């Protein structure tokens, strides 16, 4: 049977690059750390490290096993914490990753309201359109658009029926005209979003049961959703945004929704975490609170 302490030593040695450093970190002797690794390798019947007097690196089996070791430690520590706290206590520090545009313009005031209701909750916020590595980074939960590619993550719906919308400022439309069909977008300056290595320059629609994918281009590409929205507001082009990102602008007339006769791409919103045991009372209440706020936001 794999021991919890052996997993901690394995992960610490990986992160710190040596057994001696891992031993110091965990207040153990180097001999104990070395014995733990040997015991773990015997249990798994494989080598986890290639080591010499000067270097330490993971084998391919070690790299594969590291994710499971981290997950096991996280789950066991979460269980320990869950047993130690009052199950009804909405308190503690939540590290939350939120998307750029939605986070700044919609979620921040809602989170302020949540803290007024629950003053014993503290937030540590990370605002970025990149999905935080929930296994490596000190992030408890993430709010993200789209079903996650990583099936090991727990994905709880916040707003399942959200979609993207094509939109532009009235000033842009007065200069360049209003596109009547998705094909018309080829003649417009389209503001594209890039996430990591992926450029989102193919916009998808449905009409009369037929799926349409339109390649678009323009003179501006940004890796921040808030930046793309600001370009659209300034009249620089047409944007393909989550409806929640621009709903306030649409209602105020700062942006105009286009191609309303076509069904645009689904963009559901989820709360993500690595394990259900991390769903503390504070996280569960926050999810309920956000679901309520999105319903009210949609209703106007």
């Amino acid at each position: 049977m794999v021991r919890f302490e052996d997993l901690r030593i394995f992960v610490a040695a990986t992160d710190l690059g040596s057994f001696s450093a891992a031993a110091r970190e965990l207040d153990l002797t180097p001999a104990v750390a070395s014995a733990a690794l040997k015991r773990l390798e015997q249990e798994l019947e494989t080598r986890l490290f290639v080591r010499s007097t000067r270097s330490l690196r993971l084998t391919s089996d070690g790299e594969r096993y590291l994710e499971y070791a981290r997950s096991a430690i996280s789950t066991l520590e979460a269980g320990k914490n869950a047993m130690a706290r009052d199950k009804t206590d909405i308190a503690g520090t939540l590290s939350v990753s939120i998307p750029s545009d939605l986070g700044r313009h919609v979620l921040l005031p809602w989170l302020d309201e949540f803290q007024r209701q629950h003053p014993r909750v503290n937030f540590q916020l990370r605002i970025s359109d990149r999905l935080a590595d929930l296994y490596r980074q000190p992030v408890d939960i993430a709010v993200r658009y789209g079903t996650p590619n990583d099936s090991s993550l727990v994905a709880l719906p916040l707003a399942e029926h959200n979609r993207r919308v094509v939109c532009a400022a009235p000033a842009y439309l007065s200069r360049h005209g209003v596109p009547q069909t998705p094909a018309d977008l080829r003649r417009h300056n389209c503001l594209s979003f890039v996430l990591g290595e992926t450029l989102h320059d193919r916009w998808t629609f449905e009409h009369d049961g037929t799926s349409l994918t339109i390649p678009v281009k323009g003179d501006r590409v940004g890796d921040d959703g808030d930046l793309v929205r600001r370009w659209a507001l300034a009249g620089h082009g047409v944007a393909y945004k989550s409806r929640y990102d621009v709903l306030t602008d649409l209602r105020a007339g700062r942006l105009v929704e286009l191609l309303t006769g076509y069904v645009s791409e689904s963009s559901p919103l989820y709360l993500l975490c690595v394990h259900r045991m991390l769903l503390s009372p504070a996280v569960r209440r926050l999810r309920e609170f956000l679901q309520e706020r999105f319903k009210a936001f949609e209703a106007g």
Side-chain angles (χ1 to χ4, degrees):
M1 180 180 294
V2 173
R3 300 184 184 184
F4 175 67
E5 191 66 20
D6 294 354
L7 292 178
R8 292 182 65 215
I9 294 170
F10 166 59
V11 171
T14 300
D15 291 342
L16 299 173
S18 77
F19 290 123
S20 57
R24 289 193 298 271
E25 177 76 12
L26 300 174
D27 197 24
L28 303 170
T29 67
V32 169
S34 180
L37 174 67
K38 290 179 181 178
R39 190 163 51 238
L40 185 58
E41 289 180 331
Q42 289 173 356
E43 180 67 28
L44 299 174
E45 299 182 346
T46 190
R47 291 290 297 274
L48 298 174
F49 287 108
V50 176
R51 52 197 182 275
S52 68
T53 56
R54 294 186 177 182
S55 67
L56 182 73
R57 66 176 177 83
L58 289 171
T59 63
S60 59
D61 282 347
E63 290 177 350
R64 296 209 320 268
Y65 189 69
L66 179 61
E67 175 184 344
Y68 297 101
R70 289 191 193 279
S71 179
I73 291 172
S74 176
T75 299
L76 291 171
E77 289 181 343
K80 180 180 177 181
N81 293 336
M83 295 297 292
R85 65 177 173 255
D86 186 344
K87 299 296 188 297
T88 63
D89 192 19
I90 301 178
T93 298
L94 295 181
S95 179
V96 186
S97 173
I98 57 179
S100 170
D101 202 355
L102 183 78
R104 287 185 174 93
H105 302 289
V106 178
L107 293 181
L108 283 183
W110 292 357
L111 295 179
D112 289 341
E113 182 182 352
F114 184 84
Q115 283 188 293
R116 287 193 293 271
Q117 294 181 12
H118 305 286
R120 295 178 61 202
V121 172
N122 302 318
F123 284 122
Q124 295 178 349
L125 296 182
R126 294 170 178 251
I127 298 183
S128 172
D129 286 315
R130 285 180 174 269
L131 177 59
D133 187 335
L134 300 181
Y135 291 101
R136 291 180 176 272
Q137 294 178 274
V139 174
D140 299 315
I141 56 176
V143 175
R144 282 295 180 272
Y145 286 117
T147 306
N149 295 325
D150 186 349
S151 61
S152 68
L153 293 175
V154 176
L156 303 178
L158 292 176
E160 294 182 272
H161 303 296
N162 182 53
R163 290 189 174 274
R164 294 188 175 277
V165 296
V166 180
C167 57
Y172 174 86
L173 297 174
S174 68
R175 295 194 307 270
H176 301 282
V178 178
Q180 301 299 316
T181 69
D184 292 343
L185 293 172
R186 295 190 177 97
R187 299 193 296 272
H188 283 266
N189 192 51
C190 294
L191 308 170
S192 295
F193 177 67
V194 61
L195 183 60
E197 303 300 322
T198 303
L199 174 62
H200 294 274
D201 60 350
R202 298 175 67 83
W203 298 357
T204 301
F205 307 87
E206 287 186 11
H207 185 64
D208 292 336
T210 301
S211 178
L212 308 169
T213 298
I214 305 299
V216 299
K217 60 182 180 180
D219 63 2
R220 285 173 169 81
V221 175
D223 67 350
D224 183 282
D226 184 35
L227 176 61
V228 175
R229 172 180 163 273
R230 289 173 183 269
W231 282 337
L233 288 170
H236 293 308
V238 179
Y240 192 46
K241 294 283 294 176
S242 160
R243 187 166 183 268
Y244 287 138
D245 288 351
V246 295
L247 185 54
T248 301
D249 298 314
L250 294 172
R251 288 172 173 166
R254 293 185 293 268
L255 292 174
V256 177
E257 184 174 355
L258 308 172
L259 303 177
T260 55
Y262 295 81
V263 179
S264 55
E265 184 179 353
S266 176
S267 186
L269 196 65
Y270 289 90
L271 184 147
L272 308 177
C273 66
V274 298
H275 199 282
R276 289 190 176 274
M277 292 184 71
L278 296 177
L279 298 176
S280 66
V283 171
R284 291 181 184 276
R285 178 62 193 119
L286 177 61
R287 184 209 175 190
E288 293 169 357
F289 174 86
L290 292 177
Q291 285 180 311
E292 294 165 3
R293 288 298 173 273
F294 277 117
K295 288 180 181 178
F297 189 41
E298 182 69 29

